[in-house]
Amino acid sequence: MTSHLSAEPPAPTLQSTATVKQLMLGAVIPASDIVFGVAATTPADDAAWAKVQANAVVIAEMAKLLTENPRKKDDGEWIAKSQAMYDTANAVAVAATEKNAEKVYQVALRFLPEAQGLVTILKARGWVDGFESKAP
């Protein structure tokens, strides 16, 4: 009896195309607006809370992408601030599942220094607009 093994097609190789600036403008900032919006208006129903939680998760995922090449800028402070942003965003997601507006807002406030710290690193190293690298 002969065994016919079918070879699985190779997984596609996906290349990163988004710059740090694009991730920030396209995902992190809009998601942050939703999260911080809880301070002005408490979500009225489960769907609104789910939207807050989903946007916190988006911030966490974007923080993870900041630690990968070609966006990773160093193995020290950049990684530490990205990790702190990731951890904070996940804590916001948990607070959103608890439907606790004050906790969402207070935890989200911890996110700001990390995001600002990333921008400061970029500007200090001469990356254009504080977001994208001049280097190839």
Side-chain angles (χ1 to χ4, degrees):
M1 182 164 157
T2 350
S3 173
H4 296 297
L5 298 177
S6 62
E8 291 186 32
T13 303
L14 303 175
Q15 300 296 318
S16 294
T17 57
T19 64
V20 172
K21 183 176 185 176
Q22 289 168 328
L23 292 178
M24 292 293 203
L25 293 176
V28 175
I29 293 170
S32 296
D33 289 345
I34 300 293
V35 168
F36 283 105
V38 169
T41 307
T42 300
D45 55 27
D46 290 346
W49 278 109
K51 186 175 180 180
V52 172
Q53 181 192 28
N55 279 278
V57 170
V58 165
I59 295 168
E61 288 299 311
M62 292 303 104
K64 182 181 174 299
L65 288 175
L66 293 176
T67 67
E68 298 171 358
N69 288 324
R71 292 170 291 271
K72 180 172 85 167
K73 303 305 177 192
D74 65 45
D75 288 324
E77 189 178 12
W78 182 265
I79 296 297
K81 292 210 172 288
S82 297
Q83 181 67 52
M85 192 167 100
Y86 175 86
D87 294 340
T88 301
N90 279 314
V92 168
V94 169
T97 64
E98 297 168 1
K99 300 177 183 165
N100 184 332
E102 180 62 23
K103 187 173 180 182
V104 165
Y105 181 70
Q106 291 303 318
V107 174
L109 287 175
R110 297 191 324 240
F111 160 79
L112 289 176
E114 307 312 334
Q116 290 168 342
L118 291 170
V119 171
T120 300
I121 291 168
L122 291 169
K123 286 182 178 179
R125 295 185 185 172
W127 280 289
V128 177
D129 295 332
F131 289 105
E132 55 191 35
S133 174
K134 294 179 197 171

